[in-house]
Amino acid sequence: MSFDMAQFHQVFFEESFEGLDVMESGLLGMDPGAADSEEINAIFRAAHSIKGGSGTFGFSDVSNFTHVMETLLDEMRDGRREVTADAVNVLLQSVDVLREMLIAARDGGSADEERVKEQSAELERVLADKDGSGAVAADVAASEPVEAAQPEAEAEAEVEPIGWKIVFRPHQHLMRTGNDPLRIIRELGELGELTSTCDVSDLPSLEELEPEDSYLSWDLRLIGAIEKTQIDEIFEWVEDDCDFAVIPILPEGFDATQAAAAPAQQAQPDQPAAPAVQAAPPPVERRQAERRASGSDRRQGNDRRQASGSAASSSIRVDIHKIDALINMVGELVITQSMLGMLGNDFDMSRVERLREGLTQLERHTRELQESVMGIRMVPISFSFSRFPRLVHDLSTKLGKKIELKMSGENTEVDKTVIEKIGDPLVHLVRNSLDHGIETPEERVAAGKPETGTVYLGASHRGGNIVIEIRDDGRGLPRDKILNKAIERGLVKAEDNLSDKDVYDLIFQPGFSTAEQVSDVSGRGVGMDVVRRNINELGGAIEIESTPGEGSAIIVRLPLTLAILDGQTIRIGKEIYIVPLVSIIESIQIDESMLSTVAGKGETFKLRDEYLPIVRMHEAFGIQEHDAHKLTDGILVVVEGEGRKCGLFVDDLLGQQQVVIKSLEANYRKVDGISGATILGDGSVALIIDIPGLMRLAKNGGGRGRPHLALTA
Amino acid sequence: MTDVDNTVEVEEDEGAGVEYLTFVLADELYGVNILEVQEIRGWEQVTRIPNSPHYVKGVINLRGTIVPIMDLRLRFNLEAEEYTKETVVIVVRTTDRRGEQRSIGLVVDAVSDVLVAREEHIVGTPEFGANVPTENITGLVTDDENMVMLLDVSSLLEADCDTDQGEAA
């Protein structure tokens, strides 16, 4: 039976990356000296799952590496080892290395061997760093010889075994699970030269014998150049229904005890105390119990976390409650449908009231169903936030600052695509706060502030949007410095009277930085243009608030989902378009006094103290029939995109509605000034306007030299 | 079992023939591989796409998917015709060069027949020079003494729905 394991790879990697996150957050939350056993348990289980999975899938370097981590964690869990800051730090670094290894394995590459080796050595150093633990471990190893062999097998190292000794003890119920020991033994026989010794000592007398139970166990010797994973694969299906151990048979000159010590010695030849520690494995039976426990734990975890945070994966894990709700709702819908169907079969005007009721019900159910379906894509923002404790931990050490991270609203749900895309911009903003916002402890004390700075990261729902705030109690943005820099670069004039907001907006200019020296962490301003672009691409907006000496706040507003948007329907002639509500500042009717032209052609209007260009939509989109010819007849929709504003000249505003975004590119192609399409209530298609794209289109006079697209009257 | 046998017989009867749906376009006969035909619909109001080639009439909502509609008469520089209730839209679905499935609706005058064309009966398209566009025709086949031009739908898609060039607006 050949079995394609590759199909499970994705799930394995997803679970492993999730496990790494659990380990990381667990380790960060661990107080040296007073570790919570639940916490360590969770970390241990995550490591254990990764080890088990990677072993199964043949990523032996990963399982070997995890094994050492696991040993260390196991000792901490059993209280045989004190939780030291050093150990936690080494484990944290190991999580990083492990992540790299898994990413490499996923992408089919190989991890940086040097780094893995170095980190292994670090782990071994910590492991060897404690006396006494070795003795305890050795006891365990001695008392349970069969199980003790397990880790060596996994840590096979460089001594090539000539074959394997396999102990196979089926549990009584094995055959009831549909498995057959004989088939397993036959399969083993296909791998190499197999000799077997059957142990019949458990066989009961004939009267007591249950023919469907299995009582036999086997000691098998399998000789040949065989990978341990090949054997593991055969036992895959029965691993919970039997005890089995795979022990390498080493070439002449190695006996079993030597085999136990050899791999560990090779890993760290200068640490003679370690091999015994290395040989302290969790016994097989305990491991099974844990596997089960970790299974249920994972499920619990899913309620909280619901989906994998891995950006590369395209699958999504959904809270079972959401699915249940969905099924319920579909049930309701079916009932409503059949009710309406019955009404329709035999309808007269006396029942019109009932029909109306039915239709109302249908409308409600449909809306609920739509919301629930959308909800499937929603995952808590904690997926994005979870990396920040680590980031702040590492960065504050590096910068020599004392910083506390406070988070709130981690359970706020956002569309999965948004989560994936918001990660990098958020990292950038938090790094900025840490690097430039928060002062050094000395500076803070001098300024009469507490030594420890606070960075607050929060998410919340506000009016159909999600608002993410990054707030710090640092020194605030240096208004004068930014202004001087901008004047120096010719972005603004010294005599311009800019508001604070305008000044802060300057840091979004490409390449704008006020940092005297750009540190390796960041330079405030460097890349802020990219941050803003990324957020704009998500249909969001970014804003800065700052008070000198008291701190600054960056507020990011994002749509809840990329699949639905709040739109304003506009009409030009007979054509209907959707303008995303988030881009609209206001809609106004203008009078002659607000209008003027630039160079005789470019139409502008004065909105309060700004002169904004006018884009005549019928020209930009080449619409022949349109009602309003004079600017004062139609309506100007004032929109903003990528920091620029303009007025869209349209015939009429129709209404606001939520629209489901459909791709135009799936069957056609990208159209300038259009971001997608949607289907209106009457089944017809309306195109959604891409505001920044439209502005570019208008600015370039259509981009392809179409005369009718020029921004002229 | 009998079903399977029948199928095999049918296939043997018709050799390595490929079925084509033929349609009329200004008194000319064209054919598209019937496996690429998704459905045949009447003309309905479309939503215009700004700044598109004149032969791309717009998009329709096909059960939740946005499908572009192309007027083949205009595409082939034939004389335009008023749309009536009889105007037919053939929705074809094919795989583009990136391996992605795409749909497009083709406005034609009328659907004609299903034609089985064997490989050996398909002849190459003669060269007419630049005035007569033949790049979307894979070959010619004779059906009841009429010439049928076999249309390569994916090349139509590629030229018009995939690139930024080729616009004659």
Side-chain angles (χ1 to χ4, degrees):
Chain A
M1 183 190 75
S2 81
F3 196 70
D4 182 16
M5 299 299 271
Q7 54 182 314
F8 299 117
H9 277 187
Q10 196 195 345
V11 178
F12 161 66
F13 285 119
E14 255 176 49
E15 287 194 351
S16 296
F17 288 123
E18 228 171 75
L20 287 175
D21 291 344
V22 170
M23 289 170 77
E24 190 168 65
S25 62
L27 287 167
L28 285 170
M30 222 143 82
D31 279 331
D36 176 8
S37 67
E38 251 320 294
E39 201 92 290
I40 304 183
N41 253 328
I43 304 169
F44 177 84
R45 278 195 299 265
H48 185 75
S49 299
I50 294 173
K51 182 177 115 174
S54 49
T56 307
F57 288 106
F59 304 120
S60 54
D61 55 337
V62 179
S63 67
N64 289 345
F65 184 80
T66 324
H67 175 72
V68 190
M69 291 175 75
E70 203 189 52
T71 312
L72 188 58
L73 287 164
D74 188 38
E75 287 180 16
M76 287 181 173
R77 184 178 62 162
D78 293 357
R80 276 180 278 138
R81 171 180 292 278
E82 229 176 280
V83 179
T84 59
D86 178 42
V88 170
N89 262 335
V90 171
L91 281 169
L92 269 175
Q93 286 157 13
S94 304
V95 168
D96 290 344
V97 173
L98 198 53
R99 198 187 302 272
E100 281 168 28
M101 290 168 89
L102 280 165
I103 289 172
R106 183 190 63 195
D107 302 341
S110 54
D112 183 352
E113 267 177 52
E114 269 309 299
R115 205 167 130 73
V116 174
K117 243 184 220 154
E118 267 170 40
Q119 193 59 36
S120 298
E122 269 289 283
L123 278 169
E124 301 284 0
R125 175 185 65 76
V126 176
L127 261 177
D129 199 25
K130 173 102 192 275
D131 53 329
S133 62
V136 182
D139 281 352
V140 178
S143 62
E144 292 175 82
V146 169
E147 289 83 6
Q150 193 95 339
E152 287 86 63
E154 278 170 25
E156 355 175 338
E158 279 96 59
V159 188
E160 279 292 327
I162 53 164
W164 303 88
K165 179 170 184 277
I166 301 158
V167 183
F168 176 36
R169 307 225 153 95
H171 294 166
Q172 259 187 18
H173 66 270
L174 178 87
M175 288 195 278
R176 292 171 199 259
T177 63
N179 288 296
D180 179 0
L182 184 61
R183 188 183 56 75
I184 290 166
I185 294 169
R186 273 205 195 116
E187 241 178 88
L188 286 171
E190 282 166 19
L191 294 178
E193 190 192 318
L194 184 77
T195 44
S196 69
T197 324
C198 182
D199 178 2
V200 294
S201 56
D202 285 342
L203 211 57
S205 64
L206 203 55
E207 298 90 76
E208 291 166 30
L209 186 124
E210 275 289 336
E212 286 181 7
D213 280 352
S214 51
Y215 301 97
L216 306 177
S217 47
W218 288 268
D219 286 330
L220 307 158
R221 279 175 68 87
L222 186 59
I223 305 297
I226 300 150
E227 292 281 317
K228 179 168 182 291
T229 49
Q230 288 177 280
I231 300 171
D232 286 343
E233 216 169 278
I234 291 175
F235 282 103
E236 249 246 302
W237 294 109
V238 294
E239 62 179 346
D240 285 343
D241 304 302
C242 73
D243 295 336
F244 79 96
V246 183
I247 304 149
I249 303 171
L250 297 173
E252 286 296 295
F254 288 90
D255 61 23
T257 44
Q258 270 176 318
Q265 267 172 350
Q266 279 186 344
Q268 37 146 26
D270 50 347
Q271 305 275 0
V277 180
Q278 174 85 352
V284 167
E285 310 215 15
R286 202 165 83 210
R287 293 161 58 125
Q288 280 172 3
E290 270 147 18
R291 187 173 299 131
R292 261 173 244 127
S294 73
S296 67
D297 199 67
R298 250 197 319 255
R299 270 191 295 281
Q300 275 174 12
N302 288 349
D303 289 349
R304 250 184 311 118
R305 307 178 49 113
Q306 284 149 7
S308 154
S310 154
S313 79
S314 55
S315 70
I316 187 163
R317 289 218 227 150
V318 182
D319 184 350
I320 191 81
H321 298 304
K322 286 187 178 173
I323 303 282
D324 285 346
L326 211 53
I327 291 168
N328 270 341
M329 234 164 279
V330 172
E332 293 285 311
L333 201 61
V334 169
I335 293 168
T336 312
Q337 188 269 328
S338 71
M339 180 193 109
L340 286 172
M342 269 159 65
L343 263 176
N345 279 341
D346 177 24
F347 187 75
D348 61 63
M349 284 316 283
S350 70
R351 303 172 78 177
V352 72
E353 203 42 49
R354 188 105 181 80
L355 176 71
R356 238 179 236 141
E357 258 170 49
L359 288 174
T360 318
Q361 222 176 70
L362 181 70
E363 189 200 328
R364 199 179 57 236
H365 289 328
T366 316
R367 202 176 46 236
E368 279 177 14
L369 192 65
Q370 186 203 9
E371 274 167 22
S372 310
V373 170
M374 288 305 161
I376 287 185
R377 290 184 57 88
M378 306 292 267
V379 291
I381 199 158
S382 56
F383 281 111
S384 202
F385 279 12
S386 59
R387 69 174 93 172
F388 290 109
R390 177 69 192 275
L391 186 97
V392 172
H393 169 98
D394 288 359
L395 214 58
S396 52
T397 321
K398 194 167 166 189
L399 296 169
K401 293 178 181 178
K402 290 193 173 171
I403 297 165
E404 190 189 352
L405 176 71
K406 284 188 180 157
M407 296 201 287
S408 75
E410 296 103 311
N411 290 326
T412 312
E413 292 201 328
V414 197
D415 192 276
K416 187 169 185 265
T417 332
V418 177
I419 296 250
E420 280 165 8
K421 295 200 177 148
I422 196 65
D424 291 342
L426 281 187
V427 167
H428 196 95
L429 294 173
V430 171
R431 288 168 80 111
N432 269 347
S433 265
L434 258 55
D435 195 14
H436 305 279
I438 305 273
E439 312 90 331
T440 59
E442 302 78 56
E443 280 175 293
R444 289 184 66 89
V445 171
K449 293 191 202 177
E451 204 183 27
T452 306
T454 309
V455 172
Y456 165 81
L457 186 60
S460 59
H461 286 296
R462 231 174 274 169
N465 281 325
I466 171 155
V467 178
I468 302 175
E469 249 181 280
I470 300 112
R471 194 180 286 279
D472 64 57
D473 64 348
R475 55 171 79 93
L477 282 177
R479 185 196 146 100
D480 293 343
K481 221 153 134 194
I482 295 171
L483 199 55
N484 288 338
K485 189 91 180 184
I487 293 168
E488 205 177 286
R489 293 191 46 188
L491 292 168
V492 291
K493 289 192 195 77
E495 60 271 23
D496 285 347
N497 195 7
L498 293 176
S499 66
D500 284 358
K501 191 174 174 298
D502 291 337
V503 174
Y504 300 148
D505 262 357
L506 288 169
I507 67 171
F508 292 115
Q509 294 294 327
F512 196 91
S513 175
T514 55
E516 274 114 41
Q517 55 193 130
V518 176
S519 69
D520 62 339
V521 177
S522 65
R524 180 161 253 172
V526 173
M528 283 298 267
D529 55 324
V530 182
V531 169
R532 172 144 86 178
R533 194 164 60 230
N534 287 346
I535 288 167
N536 280 342
E537 270 169 22
L538 284 169
I542 183 165
E543 226 176 88
I544 299 177
E545 286 170 10
S546 179
T547 318
E550 282 176 32
S552 45
I554 296 185
I555 296 144
V556 178
R557 253 171 257 276
L558 292 170
L560 276 180
T561 162
L562 297 183
I564 288 191
L565 66 81
D566 282 311
Q568 167 77 54
T569 24
I570 58 163
R571 184 179 64 84
I572 308 139
K574 284 189 186 122
E575 298 188 14
I576 289 173
Y577 293 89
I578 311 280
V579 181
L581 217 50
V582 65
S583 321
I584 299 181
I585 300 167
E586 63 193 294
S587 299
I588 48 168
Q589 228 166 353
I590 52 170
D591 57 54
E592 210 69 58
S593 66
M594 297 162 81
L595 287 168
S596 44
T597 52
V598 173
K601 287 185 212 157
E603 288 174 312
T604 58
F605 69 106
K606 190 166 189 246
L607 180 71
R608 287 177 287 274
D609 49 1
E610 278 179 291
Y611 285 98
L612 303 179
I614 294 172
V615 178
R616 289 191 180 226
M617 289 297 292
H618 59 93
E619 283 172 3
F621 281 176
I623 299 164
Q624 309 291 330
E625 301 165 32
H626 55 99
D627 303 344
H629 294 269
K630 274 169 65 188
L631 286 170
T632 45
D633 293 344
I635 288 184
L636 275 186
V637 183
V638 185
V639 291
E640 181 172 17
E642 286 175 0
R644 291 189 297 143
K645 289 179 197 160
C646 76
L648 304 182
F649 177 56
V650 303
D651 282 353
D652 206 355
L653 298 181
L654 296 183
Q656 295 180 1
Q657 67 181 97
Q658 278 209 327
V659 299
V660 178
I661 302 168
K662 304 269 181 183
S663 164
L664 192 61
E665 282 159 79
N667 289 317
Y668 190 54
R669 62 146 174 256
K670 174 100 190 81
V671 178
D672 289 343
I674 300 292
S675 65
T678 191
I679 293 160
L680 297 175
D682 63 357
S684 66
V685 180
L687 301 178
I688 301 166
I689 295 175
D690 163 27
I691 296 296
L694 176 71
M695 287 188 192
R696 276 193 296 271
L697 180 82
K699 196 173 156 194
N700 303 338
R704 291 174 202 147
R706 286 192 202 89
H708 64 274
L709 287 176
L711 240 186
T712 53
Chain B
M1 280 314 282
T2 33
D3 283 357
V4 173
D5 288 341
N6 280 345
T7 324
V8 172
E9 269 169 40
V10 170
E11 275 176 10
E12 274 167 3
D13 275 355
E14 293 171 359
V18 176
E19 284 185 298
Y20 285 89
L21 177 75
T22 62
F23 56 85
V24 187
L25 210 59
D27 297 328
E28 295 176 350
L29 266 183
Y30 289 83
V32 285
N33 188 331
I34 206 160
L35 295 177
E36 290 179 332
V37 175
Q38 206 179 2
E39 63 184 88
I40 299 168
R41 311 165 58 91
W43 167 256
E44 62 185 292
Q45 197 52 52
V46 298
T47 299
R48 208 182 61 92
I49 309 171
N51 308 324
S52 291
H54 69 297
Y55 50 78
V56 175
K57 302 310 288 181
V59 285
I60 58 159
N61 162 24
L62 187 72
R63 292 181 295 280
T65 310
I66 308 293
V67 174
I69 303 293
M70 182 194 287
D71 187 322
L72 271 193
R73 272 177 173 264
L74 299 180
R75 178 68 178 81
F76 293 149
N77 289 323
L78 304 167
E79 199 180 317
E81 184 132 296
E82 282 280 308
Y83 293 155
T84 64
K85 275 184 191 163
E86 274 71 47
T87 304
V88 172
V89 177
I90 304 176
V91 181
V92 287
R93 187 165 182 78
T94 186
T95 311
D96 70 5
R97 113 183 82 98
R98 290 199 210 101
E100 275 167 39
Q101 294 263 303
R102 284 159 169 269
S103 298
I104 185 171
L106 305 173
V107 180
V108 303
D109 294 355
V111 171
S112 170
D113 205 352
V114 175
L115 153 79
V116 181
R118 296 194 199 192
E119 191 71 51
E120 62 264 32
H121 294 158
I122 299 176
V123 296
T125 324
E127 291 287 336
F128 295 101
N131 291 335
V132 182
T134 55
E135 67 272 14
N136 300 307
I137 312 285
T138 52
L140 305 175
V141 72
T142 311
D143 180 45
D144 283 346
E145 321 221 323
N146 292 318
M147 184 187 76
V148 178
M149 285 164 273
L150 303 180
L151 209 56
D152 175 18
V153 176
S154 63
S155 79
L156 268 185
L157 276 177
E158 238 119 80
D160 298 296
C161 300
D162 218 22
T163 61
D164 280 331
Q165 290 103 45
E167 289 195 21

